[in-house]
Amino acid sequence: MSDKLAEFSAFRQRMNERILAEDNQVVRRFFALDTQTYKAGALDVKTKEMLGLVASMVLRCDDCISYHVAQCKQAGVQRDEFFEVFSVGLVVGGSIVIPHLRRAVDFLDKLESGEPASPECADHA
């Protein structure tokens, strides 16, 4: 894992543990809700992660984009499917999404080259 990816993952884990150690039920419930949202239900995990990736692109959150690219890859999303997801994000979000699309494709290329990576968005528990 690259230093940047390892640093990102370690920071996410450390800070999630730190945040969840606080006695705040709202934060704990939100983290739990986020976790529950991406579990299989009427929609499968793969579909939910693709939806999360589109939303993250439109909101222009690189941490979330990386998280959902990794989760999509783990859920079995293929390269041609990624580019359809990227297309939806680009059409919905407009040209301002292009820099985030570049970083998403760069991250996907790294995952596909066998570089182990599991960065996760600090907003996703």
Side-chain angles (χ1 to χ4, degrees):
M1 184 182 308
S2 75
D3 291 341
K4 183 178 177 185
L5 297 175
E7 181 180 319
F8 181 77
S9 294
F11 176 78
R12 181 234 178 232
Q13 182 176 350
R14 179 174 50 87
M15 290 311 300
N16 279 357
E17 289 171 2
R18 170 66 182 93
I19 290 165
L20 292 172
E22 293 293 325
D23 186 23
N24 185 299
Q25 287 302 312
V26 173
V27 172
R28 288 180 185 168
R29 288 178 179 156
F30 185 86
F31 273 51
L33 178 63
D34 181 79
T35 299
Q36 291 299 314
T37 298
Y38 287 93
K39 289 187 175 181
L43 297 174
D44 61 13
V45 171
K46 180 178 174 180
T47 301
K48 288 182 175 188
E49 289 299 340
M50 290 188 294
L51 291 168
L53 179 53
V54 167
S56 298
M57 291 180 73
V58 172
L59 292 170
R60 302 185 309 272
C61 176
D62 287 330
D63 285 357
C64 296
I65 291 167
S66 295
Y67 171 81
H68 287 292
V69 166
Q71 294 301 107
C72 282
K73 187 74 177 154
Q74 185 176 5
V77 175
Q78 301 298 309
R79 191 168 185 87
D80 60 338
E81 294 172 310
F82 270 109
F83 275 84
E84 288 193 20
V85 171
F86 294 155
S87 297
V88 172
L90 185 59
V91 167
V92 173
S95 62
I96 198 165
V97 171
I98 292 172
H100 304 279
L101 172 61
R102 289 181 189 120
R103 288 187 284 276
V105 172
D106 180 58
F107 185 72
L108 177 60
D109 288 345
K110 288 176 183 171
L111 285 177
E112 289 182 340
S113 72
E115 183 175 331
S118 59
E120 300 186 22
C121 175
D123 295 333
H124 293 283

